């Protein structure tokens, strides 16, 4: 029986699957075609990829005409609510198009409220600073507020305002939407934490990034240096009440540049710093903080523009340095935490991350490094510990001989058969510490006391066998030491004069420092 024949009918090959529909976040194919048309007017496109939130267009780009064409494209796409991000990836130029986020700016009234609040707090700070400078009992007077405003509030607010307005106008010049300055109030002695502006859209290019980042520091640096010089001059022309006791008080750290400026216009040793010089100091210090190369600080803008994505390593190193400095000045730790949790360490790239910087901008970026290095202060403020130091110097021509710090008196006196003989020498007792202190002056005669020797001291028209010298900081007192030799004594006697500083403040009592001075006296019959 024959097997039934089986006929096989060939089937046509399966058709390819239809292309996937565009992602749901792109509304229609015409929208993607519109994006292709806008990009294609400026750059030839050879491939398009669509993903959620992004249309990526691979283009043939002439770098010679890249910058002006990209700027035209960015402005055109911004009008339609898109942002083009130009990158160079794996040897290809790619324009990633995303929808621009909707900005929700604050009203100008918010800027006004913060500005008025900062004016009030800096006025109070200025009144406190000027009244302290002049030694007035109360800062709550119209005179203190008037002079505080003239010498501190107006210079500081002008400095901070020009810093932020320079950022603002640099951003507007590059077509970047930016807010007006937000001033941040604080408590005395600063009265403000500074000011900031908010960029409401991404930075378009490396050039714009460097220009915006450098504009503020250049402006504040240009104002701060003359302010410091003027303030130091006023310390001499209009001196305040001399600082007589600074132990336990606050001190300002000095940067390299501030030290140079003080060498040009020396600050009197016991004079307090003028409020205008303090405003300039604040300007230099705030400029240095802004130039730290991390996150979206001004220095972060500059570093990202100069070094590209490699700037992130500078950011990590700076964050580590701030954490270390936080052990010496706690506010650095707060700044480090703020940058890490709020601002971020890595700076976002510009929209055009391809066009390089020109030489002029690289030089300006190098000058920002100079400002940072010369204006930065590792420990900007601190509490000065009490120092009970004093020194004893021989009298030379009516003044302390500071070059002769190791000395001994070798004296001779002719003895008498019936009356005691006197021999004397003068020493300066100088307060080399920073607190008002009580220096007691006494003597140690040993066996000479049993032989009739004695010592008394004369200072400020007082004569006694033990003396207390009360001195403010940098004070100096001339003490005459008189040695009385008994009659008929022949030979050498060594007399020791003892100087003790005594703590008399909140640190409690006790000896702070002891200095012993020996006088060898040769008695001649």
């Amino acid at each position: 029986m024959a097997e039934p024949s089986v006929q096989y009918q060939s089937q046509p090959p399966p058709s390819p699957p239809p292309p996937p529909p565009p992602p749901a976040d792109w509304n229609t194919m015409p929208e993607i075609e519109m994006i292709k048309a806008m990009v294609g007017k400026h750059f030839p496109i050879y491939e398009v990829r669509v993903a959620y939130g992004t249309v990526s267009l691979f283009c043939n780009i002439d770098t010679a005409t890249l910058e002006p064409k990209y700027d035209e494209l960015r402005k055109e796409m911004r009008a339609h609510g898109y942002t083009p991000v130009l990158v160079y990836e794996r040897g290809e130029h790619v324009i990633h198009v995303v929808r621009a986020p909707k900005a929700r700016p604050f009203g100008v009234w918010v800027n006004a409220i913060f500005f008025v609040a900062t004016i009030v707090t800096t006025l109070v700070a200025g009144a406190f600073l000027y009244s302290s400078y002049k030694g007035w009992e109360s800062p709550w007077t119209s005179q203190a507020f008037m002079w505080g405003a003239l010498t501190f509030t107006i210079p500081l607010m002008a400095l901070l305002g020009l810093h932020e307005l320079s950022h603002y106008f640099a951003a507007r010049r590059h077509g970047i939407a930016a807010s007006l300055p937000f001033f941040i109030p604080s408590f005395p002695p600063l009265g403000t934490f500074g000011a900031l502006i908010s960029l409401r859209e991404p930075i378009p290019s490396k050039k714009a990034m460097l220009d915006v980042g450098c504009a503020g520091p250049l402006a504040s640096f240009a104002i701060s240096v003359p302010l410091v010089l003027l303030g130091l001059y006023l310390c001499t022309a209009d001196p305040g009440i001399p600082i007589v006791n600074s132990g336990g008080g606050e001190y300002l750290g000095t940067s390299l540049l501030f030290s140079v400026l003080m060498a040009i216009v020396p600050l009197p040793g016991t004079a307090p710093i003028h409020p205008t010089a303090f405003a300039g100091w604040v300007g230099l210090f705030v400029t240095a903080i802004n130039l730290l190369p991390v996150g979206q600080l001004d220095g972060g803008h500059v570093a990202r523009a100069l070094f590209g994505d490699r700037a992130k390593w500078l950011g990590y190193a700076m964050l580590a340095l701030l954490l270390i400095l936080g052990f010496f000045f706690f506010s650095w730790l707060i700044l480090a935490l703020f940058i890490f949790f709020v601002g971020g360490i890595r700076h976002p790239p510009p929209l055009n991350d391809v066009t390089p910087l020109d030489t002029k901008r690289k030089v300006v970026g190098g000058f920002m490094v100079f400002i940072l290095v010369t204006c930065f202060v590792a420990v900007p403020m601190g509490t000065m510990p009490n120092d009970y130091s004093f020194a004893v110097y021989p009298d030379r021509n009516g003044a302390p001989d500071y070059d002769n710090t190791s000395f001994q008196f070798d004296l001779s006196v002719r003895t008498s058969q019936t009356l005691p003989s006197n021999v004397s020498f003068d020493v300066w007792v100088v307060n080399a510490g920073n607190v008002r202190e009580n220096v007691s002056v006494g003597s140690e005669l040993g066996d000479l006391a049993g032989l009739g020797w004695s010592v008394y001291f004369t200072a400020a028209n007082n004569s006694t066998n033990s003396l207390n010298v009360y001195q403010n900081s940098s004070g100096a007192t001339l003490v005459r030491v008189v040695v009385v030799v008994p009659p008929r004594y022949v030979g050498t006697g060594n007399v020791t004069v003892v100087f003790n500083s005594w703590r008399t403040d909140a640190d409690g009592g006790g000896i702070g420092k002891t200095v012993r001075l020996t006088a060898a006296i040769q008695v001649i019959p």
Side-chain angles (χ1 to χ4, degrees), residues 42 44 125-126 169 178-179 250 270 299 334 364 401 413 436 471 501:
H42 303 281
F169 287 116
S179 71
E250 299 293 326
T270 59
I334 297 176
V364 174
D401 182 5
V413 62
R436 178 177 172 83
Q471 295 179 138
S501 64

Side-chain angles (χ1 to χ4, degrees), residues 11-17:
Q11 300 292 329
S15 59

Side-chain angles (χ1 to χ4, degrees), residues 121-307:
T121 55
T122 52
L123 279 173
V124 174
F128 271 85
L129 287 169
Y130 195 82
S131 60
S132 175
Y133 178 75
K134 301 300 288 185
W136 295 343
E137 292 184 2
S138 174
W140 304 104
T141 63
S142 58
Q143 190 177 19
F145 275 89
M146 179 188 70
W147 285 106
L150 290 174
T151 60
F152 179 76
T153 303
I154 293 176
L156 182 61
M157 291 296 290
L159 187 153
L160 296 175
L162 187 60
H163 179 109
E164 296 304 329
L165 285 175
S166 298
H167 284 313
Y168 175 80
F169 287 116
R172 295 295 298 269
R173 185 166 64 88
H174 285 281
I176 307 170
S179 71
L180 290 172
F182 291 92
F183 287 85
I184 307 172
S186 178
F187 300 101
L190 293 179
T192 176
F193 285 127
L196 55 88
I197 66 168
S198 173
L199 299 180
R200 293 171 176 167
E201 58 181 327
I203 299 176
S205 65
K206 294 180 180 179
K207 293 181 179 180
M209 184 174 287
L210 189 131
D211 289 352
V212 172
C214 291
L218 283 174
S220 56
F221 181 81
I223 296 179
S224 298
V225 172
L227 275 181
V228 171
L229 292 174
L230 174 61
L232 293 176
Y233 168 76
L234 291 174
C235 289
T236 303
D238 180 29
I241 301 299
I243 300 174
V244 294
N245 302 304
S246 54
E250 299 293 326
Y251 68 87
L252 290 179
T254 54
S255 63
L256 292 175
L257 180 61
F258 196 83
S259 299
V260 171
L261 297 178
M262 285 198 299
I264 297 174
V265 184
L267 180 68
T270 59
I273 187 169
H274 193 277
T276 302
F278 181 58
W281 180 92
V282 172
L284 294 177
F285 180 59
V286 170
T287 300
I289 291 178
N290 278 310
L291 283 175
L292 294 176
V294 58
Q296 297 197 51
L297 297 176
D298 296 344
H301 293 333
V302 174
R304 184 59 178 77
L306 288 173
F307 305 113

Side-chain angles (χ1 to χ4, degrees), residues 361-375:
R361 286 181 169 85
K362 291 179 180 179
V363 171
V364 174
F367 185 63
M368 295 299 102
V369 177
F370 168 80
I371 294 177
L372 171 61
V373 172
T374 58
C375 295

Side-chain angles (χ1 to χ4, degrees), residues 323-346:
L323 292 173
I324 294 172
L325 291 177
F327 289 99
F328 304 95
F329 187 69
F330 184 71
S331 295
W332 292 128
L333 181 60
I334 297 176
L335 178 61
L337 295 176
F338 177 83
I339 291 173
F340 183 80
F341 289 107
V342 179
I345 302 175
R346 299 183 64 170

